[in-house]
Amino acid sequence: MTVDQPRIAPHTVAQRIIVPLDLPSAQAALDLVDAIPQVSFWKLGLELFVSAGPGLIQDLKARQKRIFLDLKFHDIPNTMAGACAAAASYGVDLLTVHTAAGKEALVAAQTAAIAGAEAAGVAPPVVLGVTLLTSIAPQSLAAELRIPLKAADYALQMALLAQDSGLTGIVCSPQEVTQLRRFLPANFVLVCPGVRPVGASSQDQRRTLTPIQALQAGATYLVIGRPITAAPDPAAAFQRICEECSAAIAP
Ligand code: C5P
């Protein structure tokens, strides 16, 4: 792979399921990784990155894992650029930034991610824009953030801003995928949390779709946590989801 090529599209359903490491320590995270060797793609979020540090990225890479570094950067362009260059130098596959940082910051983030990866001799990550946090209730958008749009319309506008700024993907609700696909190119990367297999508890997730529905709607990657990690046999739960999806989705 040359350093200026984007990370390749996934091929199998198993490669399209990202499992979050929602755990407080590196040891707990690595125990989970080793308990489900079939999982090839892991999400490292803010809590674990702050507690465990970037060394965990090397531990995951030593195990040949792909990495979604979900730190949701939101800052001035110069700082976004520095953070994205450093994150990209680790050789991660996906990286998140808030679209609300604005176009100048998004352009700086994308440019710096490519430059940071190139300087380190690794492939650049797909920089994903976070459109709207799902924790923001529809009424808070108007009352607190003073944004006079429906949540779905705001998410679409921010997705288009991400694309216009040179980003090649976003994080979105599976419920938004069908509408977003009408406006975004087929190779634009859509990463969806809020996915629940049939029969699984929705827990604190709202507006979920099943893995098959989300993939059929056009999601590129699914982030599925507790239905796998909290299952009595996590490896079997992951395998079951892959088999169900593989039967319904052409690779
Ligand atoms: O266990 P569960 O499948 O709900 O985990 C979903 C993961 O995706 C968690 O790490 C959560 O923080 C993350 N996430 C989310 N909704 C977003 C963005 C990220 O659930 N809008």
Side-chain angles (χ1 to χ4, degrees), residues 71-84 96-109:
L71 302 183
K72 298 188 180 70
F73 296 140
H74 187 173
D75 215 308
I76 60 171
N78 188 53
T79 305
M80 291 272 273
C84 285
T96 43
V97 297
H98 275 283
T99 53
K103 186 170 181 177
E104 190 185 340
L106 297 177
V107 170

Short mmCIF file of all heavy atoms in Angstrom, two decimals, residues 71-84 96-109:
data_model
loop_
_atom_site.label_atom_id
_atom_site.label_comp_id
_atom_site.label_asym_id
_atom_site.label_seq_id
_atom_site.Cartn_x
_atom_site.Cartn_y
_atom_site.Cartn_z
N LEU A 71 -11.59 9.87 19.16
CA LEU A 71 -11.30 10.91 20.16
C LEU A 71 -12.08 12.19 19.91
O LEU A 71 -12.02 13.13 20.70
CB LEU A 71 -9.79 11.20 20.18
CG LEU A 71 -8.90 9.99 20.49
CD1 LEU A 71 -7.43 10.39 20.56
CD2 LEU A 71 -9.32 9.30 21.78
N LYS A 72 -12.83 12.27 18.81
CA LYS A 72 -13.74 13.38 18.52
C LYS A 72 -13.09 14.75 18.77
O LYS A 72 -13.55 15.55 19.59
CB LYS A 72 -15.04 13.26 19.33
CG LYS A 72 -15.84 12.00 19.03
CD LYS A 72 -17.19 12.04 19.71
CE LYS A 72 -18.02 10.81 19.44
NZ LYS A 72 -17.55 9.58 20.06
N PHE A 73 -12.04 15.05 18.02
CA PHE A 73 -11.35 16.33 18.19
C PHE A 73 -12.27 17.50 17.81
O PHE A 73 -13.03 17.44 16.84
CB PHE A 73 -10.11 16.39 17.29
CG PHE A 73 -9.05 15.39 17.63
CD1 PHE A 73 -8.34 14.74 16.63
CD2 PHE A 73 -8.72 15.10 18.96
CE1 PHE A 73 -7.34 13.83 16.93
CE2 PHE A 73 -7.72 14.18 19.27
CZ PHE A 73 -7.04 13.54 18.25
N HIS A 74 -12.18 18.58 18.59
CA HIS A 74 -12.97 19.79 18.33
C HIS A 74 -12.17 20.97 18.87
O HIS A 74 -12.16 21.21 20.09
CB HIS A 74 -14.34 19.69 19.02
CG HIS A 74 -15.28 20.80 18.68
ND1 HIS A 74 -16.60 20.80 19.09
CD2 HIS A 74 -15.11 21.94 17.97
CE1 HIS A 74 -17.18 21.90 18.63
NE2 HIS A 74 -16.29 22.61 17.97
N ASP A 75 -11.49 21.69 17.98
CA ASP A 75 -10.61 22.76 18.47
C ASP A 75 -10.34 23.72 17.31
O ASP A 75 -10.92 23.59 16.22
CB ASP A 75 -9.31 22.15 19.02
CG ASP A 75 -8.79 22.92 20.23
OD1 ASP A 75 -8.65 24.16 20.10
OD2 ASP A 75 -8.51 22.31 21.26
N ILE A 76 -9.44 24.67 17.52
CA ILE A 76 -9.09 25.61 16.45
C ILE A 76 -8.28 24.86 15.38
O ILE A 76 -7.70 23.80 15.65
CB ILE A 76 -8.29 26.82 16.99
CG1 ILE A 76 -6.99 26.36 17.66
CG2 ILE A 76 -9.15 27.63 17.94
CD1 ILE A 76 -6.05 27.51 18.02
N PRO A 77 -8.25 25.38 14.14
CA PRO A 77 -7.60 24.64 13.06
C PRO A 77 -6.18 24.19 13.36
O PRO A 77 -5.81 23.03 13.09
CB PRO A 77 -7.65 25.64 11.89
CG PRO A 77 -8.86 26.47 12.15
CD PRO A 77 -8.91 26.62 13.65
N ASN A 78 -5.35 25.05 13.94
CA ASN A 78 -3.96 24.70 14.19
C ASN A 78 -3.84 23.52 15.14
O ASN A 78 -3.03 22.60 14.94
CB ASN A 78 -3.23 25.93 14.75
CG ASN A 78 -1.74 25.71 14.84
OD1 ASN A 78 -1.10 25.35 13.87
ND2 ASN A 78 -1.19 25.89 16.04
N THR A 79 -4.68 23.51 16.17
CA THR A 79 -4.63 22.42 17.15
C THR A 79 -5.21 21.14 16.56
O THR A 79 -4.69 20.03 16.79
CB THR A 79 -5.41 22.84 18.43
OG1 THR A 79 -4.84 24.07 18.90
CG2 THR A 79 -5.31 21.79 19.51
N MET A 80 -6.30 21.27 15.80
CA MET A 80 -6.88 20.09 15.13
C MET A 80 -5.82 19.46 14.22
O MET A 80 -5.68 18.24 14.16
CB MET A 80 -8.07 20.51 14.27
CG MET A 80 -9.28 20.96 15.04
SD MET A 80 -10.38 19.64 15.49
CE MET A 80 -11.40 19.55 14.02
N ALA A 81 -5.11 20.31 13.49
CA ALA A 81 -4.11 19.79 12.56
C ALA A 81 -3.02 19.02 13.31
O ALA A 81 -2.66 17.90 12.93
CB ALA A 81 -3.49 20.94 11.76
N GLY A 82 -2.52 19.61 14.40
CA GLY A 82 -1.46 18.94 15.16
C GLY A 82 -1.93 17.61 15.74
O GLY A 82 -1.22 16.60 15.69
N ALA A 83 -3.15 17.61 16.27
CA ALA A 83 -3.67 16.38 16.88
C ALA A 83 -3.90 15.31 15.81
O ALA A 83 -3.61 14.12 16.03
CB ALA A 83 -4.98 16.68 17.62
N CYS A 84 -4.43 15.71 14.65
CA CYS A 84 -4.70 14.73 13.59
C CYS A 84 -3.41 14.17 13.01
O CYS A 84 -3.33 12.98 12.69
CB CYS A 84 -5.56 15.36 12.49
SG CYS A 84 -7.27 15.54 12.99
N THR A 96 -11.90 10.36 14.45
CA THR A 96 -13.07 11.26 14.45
C THR A 96 -12.73 12.70 14.82
O THR A 96 -11.90 12.95 15.69
CB THR A 96 -14.16 10.76 15.42
OG1 THR A 96 -13.53 10.34 16.64
CG2 THR A 96 -14.99 9.65 14.82
N VAL A 97 -13.45 13.62 14.16
CA VAL A 97 -13.39 15.06 14.48
C VAL A 97 -14.83 15.59 14.47
O VAL A 97 -15.68 15.03 13.78
CB VAL A 97 -12.55 15.85 13.45
CG1 VAL A 97 -11.10 15.39 13.46
CG2 VAL A 97 -13.12 15.72 12.05
N HIS A 98 -15.10 16.64 15.24
CA HIS A 98 -16.44 17.24 15.24
C HIS A 98 -16.60 18.16 14.03
O HIS A 98 -15.78 19.08 13.86
CB HIS A 98 -16.67 18.05 16.51
CG HIS A 98 -17.15 17.23 17.66
ND1 HIS A 98 -18.45 16.79 17.78
CD2 HIS A 98 -16.49 16.75 18.74
CE1 HIS A 98 -18.58 16.09 18.89
NE2 HIS A 98 -17.41 16.04 19.49
N THR A 99 -17.64 17.96 13.24
CA THR A 99 -17.87 18.87 12.11
C THR A 99 -18.17 20.29 12.59
O THR A 99 -17.92 21.25 11.86
CB THR A 99 -19.04 18.38 11.24
OG1 THR A 99 -20.18 18.18 12.08
CG2 THR A 99 -18.70 17.10 10.51
N ALA A 100 -18.67 20.44 13.82
CA ALA A 100 -19.00 21.77 14.35
C ALA A 100 -17.75 22.63 14.51
O ALA A 100 -17.86 23.84 14.75
CB ALA A 100 -19.75 21.65 15.68
N ALA A 101 -16.57 22.05 14.38
CA ALA A 101 -15.33 22.85 14.43
C ALA A 101 -15.24 23.79 13.23
O ALA A 101 -14.47 24.76 13.25
CB ALA A 101 -14.11 21.94 14.50
N GLY A 102 -15.99 23.49 12.15
CA GLY A 102 -16.03 24.39 11.00
C GLY A 102 -15.10 23.96 9.87
O GLY A 102 -14.19 23.15 10.06
N LYS A 103 -15.35 24.56 8.70
CA LYS A 103 -14.66 24.10 7.49
C LYS A 103 -13.15 24.26 7.57
O LYS A 103 -12.40 23.35 7.19
CB LYS A 103 -15.21 24.85 6.27
CG LYS A 103 -14.63 24.31 4.97
CD LYS A 103 -15.36 24.87 3.78
CE LYS A 103 -14.76 24.29 2.50
NZ LYS A 103 -15.46 24.74 1.30
N GLU A 104 -12.69 25.42 8.05
CA GLU A 104 -11.24 25.64 8.08
C GLU A 104 -10.55 24.57 8.94
O GLU A 104 -9.50 24.04 8.57
CB GLU A 104 -10.94 27.04 8.63
CG GLU A 104 -9.50 27.44 8.49
CD GLU A 104 -9.19 28.80 9.16
OE1 GLU A 104 -10.14 29.58 9.40
OE2 GLU A 104 -8.01 29.04 9.44
N ALA A 105 -11.17 24.24 10.07
CA ALA A 105 -10.58 23.23 10.95
C ALA A 105 -10.65 21.84 10.32
O ALA A 105 -9.72 21.03 10.46
CB ALA A 105 -11.29 23.23 12.30
N LEU A 106 -11.75 21.55 9.60
CA LEU A 106 -11.90 20.23 8.98
C LEU A 106 -10.89 20.05 7.85
O LEU A 106 -10.28 18.99 7.70
CB LEU A 106 -13.33 20.04 8.47
CG LEU A 106 -14.42 20.05 9.56
CD1 LEU A 106 -15.80 19.91 8.92
CD2 LEU A 106 -14.19 18.94 10.58
N VAL A 107 -10.72 21.10 7.06
CA VAL A 107 -9.72 21.04 5.97
C VAL A 107 -8.34 20.83 6.59
O VAL A 107 -7.54 19.99 6.12
CB VAL A 107 -9.75 22.32 5.12
CG1 VAL A 107 -8.57 22.37 4.16
CG2 VAL A 107 -11.07 22.43 4.35
N ALA A 108 -8.04 21.57 7.66
CA ALA A 108 -6.73 21.43 8.32
C ALA A 108 -6.55 20.02 8.88
O ALA A 108 -5.46 19.43 8.78
CB ALA A 108 -6.62 22.46 9.45
N ALA A 109 -7.62 19.46 9.44
CA ALA A 109 -7.56 18.11 10.02
C ALA A 109 -7.25 17.08 8.93
O ALA A 109 -6.37 16.22 9.09
CB ALA A 109 -8.88 17.78 10.71
#
